[in-house]
Amino acid sequence: MSANTHSDSPVIAGLLLAAGGGRRLGGRPKALLPYRGRPLVENAVRVLREAGCGPVHVVLGASAAEVRERADLSGCVVVDNPDWTEGMGSSLRVGLASLAGTDAGAALVSLVDQPGIGPAAVARVREAYRSPASLVAAAYGGERGHPVLFGADRWADIAATATGDKGARVHLARHAGELILVECADVAEAFDIDTPPDLARLA
């Protein structure tokens, strides 16, 4: 019975966008920012895994070779986004393309620079998956944030509309009535590490 239960469980892949160059941080790639003694990207991978996501795909961009060398990304599918300077949309397209042809029913997308979002919040979003048409996002005080879960049936449309720094905003706006918001403010803080003062949050 346990084997059947496991085989019937949906595959929810973790998709970590970690390509940012940290322009407002003096060009320090966000994936390599120090957090608890290790590169920030390792924390983000751990969070996805502890929340039950797998496999975990990681999209790199800025200083990709250095990130591969310095960060332990063993067990992850690591892909490079050569067009990372175009913005988050290009990384989302690369990440979804890397999942094409897998048995994942959904991609749970997280951002490398949000260490205040831990496994509890990610697990809530993951558990809201119902079908390959699912569209789920974490909410903080009722406002949509990350992570976001995209059922596999939505990937093609998202990839077709993800440009610049918009990411999946076009798809989310078009399908706002189908979006399930999962409140996470009681278990997570959705801040970004964008500017030098934000670095204090990594202490």
Side-chain angles (χ1 to χ4, degrees), residues 99-178:
L99 285 166
T102 70
D103 59 354
L108 193 149
V109 181
S110 68
L111 308 180
V112 74
D113 66 343
Q114 293 190 318
I117 300 175
V122 177
R124 283 187 187 178
V125 174
R126 180 187 178 280
E127 288 161 7
Y129 172 87
R130 294 295 178 268
S131 77
S134 288
L135 186 64
V136 186
Y140 302 89
E143 296 294 318
R144 175 174 59 79
H146 284 90
V148 183
L149 181 147
F150 301 122
D153 289 354
R154 298 181 179 274
W155 296 351
D157 184 66
I158 292 169
T161 57
T163 58
D165 270 325
K166 293 180 180 179
R169 287 180 201 162
V170 172
H171 184 88
L172 288 164
R174 287 178 179 170
H175 301 276
E178 302 159 43

Side-chain angles (χ1 to χ4, degrees):
M1 181 175 177
S2 59
N4 289 337
T5 301
H6 177 75
S7 63
D8 291 341
S9 297
V11 174
I12 310 297
L15 178 53
L16 176 61
L17 305 186
R23 179 175 51 83
R24 287 180 285 173
L25 290 168
R28 300 170 65 185
K30 291 187 176 183
L32 288 176
L33 292 174
Y35 182 64
R36 297 177 179 174
R38 296 298 303 165
L40 188 57
V41 66
E42 291 183 13
N43 173 74
V45 168
R46 176 189 61 80
V47 167
L48 287 169
R49 286 178 171 153
E50 290 186 5
C53 296
V56 174
H57 288 221
V58 180
V59 181
L60 300 180
S63 302
E66 186 180 0
V67 176
R68 288 173 182 268
E69 180 180 336
R70 291 177 50 191
D72 180 5
L73 299 176
S74 55
C76 297
V77 176
V78 183
V79 292
D80 291 344
N81 173 16
D83 302 316
W84 64 269
T85 56
E86 295 179 5
M88 188 190 304
S90 63
S91 289
L92 184 56
R93 293 196 305 270
V94 167
L96 291 176
S98 74
L99 285 166
T102 70
D103 59 354
L108 193 149
V109 181
S110 68
L111 308 180
V112 74
D113 66 343
Q114 293 190 318
I117 300 175
V122 177
R124 283 187 187 178
V125 174
R126 180 187 178 280
E127 288 161 7
Y129 172 87
R130 294 295 178 268
S131 77
S134 288
L135 186 64
V136 186
Y140 302 89
E143 296 294 318
R144 175 174 59 79
H146 284 90
V148 183
L149 181 147
F150 301 122
D153 289 354
R154 298 181 179 274
W155 296 351
D157 184 66
I158 292 169
T161 57
T163 58
D165 270 325
K166 293 180 180 179
R169 287 180 201 162
V170 172
H171 184 88
L172 288 164
R174 287 178 179 170
H175 301 276
E178 302 159 43
L179 177 65
I180 296 171
L181 290 178
V182 179
E183 185 60 47
C184 293
D186 60 317
V187 294
E189 293 182 273
F191 58 84
D192 301 320
I193 306 297
D194 282 333
T195 64
D198 295 333
L199 294 174
R201 291 179 175 270
L202 294 175

